[in-house]
Amino acid sequence: MRILLLCTKFSLVENDPWLTNELAEALQLAGHPTTVACLDWSAAANAPTVESRTNAGVRVIAMSPMIARSPLAFINKGLKWALSSIQAYRTLRRVLPDESFDLLIGFSPAVTMALPILMLTRKYKCRSFLIQWDFFPFHHQQIGLIASRIAFHASRIIETALIRRFDTIGCMS
């Protein structure tokens, strides 16, 4: 089974793994060729895409976020997520033009990879699995990252629609 994992956290340092690294490597070692597309929020904005392979053979496509400036903070975040999602999809279309996958794995918040989720689940016509490890936007509102009621309601509608694109949902908590 060929697997595409869409995430926002994946360590490129061999001895400093995240849960996403461990999952990808376990799948690869179990005989399932695994490709990771990571939209790395901690990378420098607008940095070039980096392609590499882990010691276990996992193919990694590390993309950086795009930054937009607006006088309103919640618009900045929305623009960053939307533009980064568009750029991630463009990059994946270019890097994976003729590839096919049997399983697409995504993580919450799904809104961070909205366009790749929407387009790639349609393109590959494969099974899809969402790992829900925080309850966006509810958790983000509780910790003060989303203060605007309008942004909260818009985020909730978009996240719900994206969650419904997945065949199966697993919860980390």
Side-chain angles (χ1 to χ4, degrees):
M1 178 184 324
R2 294 182 45 80
I3 299 170
L4 176 61
L5 194 143
L6 302 175
C7 62
T8 57
K9 280 286 194 188
F10 193 90
S11 178
L12 298 176
V13 179
E14 268 317 303
N15 295 325
D16 186 27
W18 287 85
L19 290 174
T20 48
N21 292 68
E22 293 172 354
L23 174 61
E25 295 207 355
L27 292 167
Q28 182 77 25
L29 293 172
H32 305 290
T34 302
T35 299
V36 173
C38 178
L39 179 52
D40 186 359
W41 293 116
S42 63
N46 305 320
T49 297
V50 174
E51 288 190 63
S52 63
R53 286 204 181 265
T54 67
N55 287 341
V58 174
R59 181 180 182 190
V60 180
I61 303 160
M63 301 165 283
S64 66
M66 296 191 68
I67 301 296
R69 300 283 182 233
S70 163
L72 302 172
F74 79 91
I75 290 178
N76 282 339
K77 186 175 289 185
L79 284 173
K80 177 182 177 181
W81 287 3
L83 294 174
S84 297
S85 176
I86 291 166
Q87 185 61 34
Y89 176 65
R90 285 181 178 164
T91 299
L92 294 175
R93 233 181 43 208
R94 179 178 43 81
V95 174
L96 306 171
D98 299 322
E99 300 214 26
S100 64
F101 295 93
D102 304 305
L103 176 64
L104 183 141
I105 300 174
F107 295 87
S108 64
V111 70
T112 59
M113 287 287 247
L115 193 57
I117 289 168
L118 291 170
M119 301 307 287
L120 297 178
T121 52
R122 179 179 301 145
K123 176 183 176 182
Y124 297 131
K125 294 178 178 52
C126 63
R127 302 287 299 166
S128 56
F129 178 63
L130 175 72
I131 298 174
Q132 186 82 26
W133 56 14
D134 81 355
F135 294 99
F136 178 83
F138 299 96
H139 180 245
H140 285 68
Q141 182 186 45
Q142 289 172 345
I143 63 174
L145 293 177
I146 297 179
S148 163
R149 287 177 39 169
I150 294 169
F152 172 78
H153 289 295
S155 298
R156 185 174 52 90
I157 290 166
I158 294 166
E159 186 73 4
T160 300
L162 289 167
I163 288 171
R164 289 184 175 150
R165 294 288 298 195
F166 288 88
D167 298 312
T168 305
I169 299 169
C171 187
M172 288 288 293
S173 303

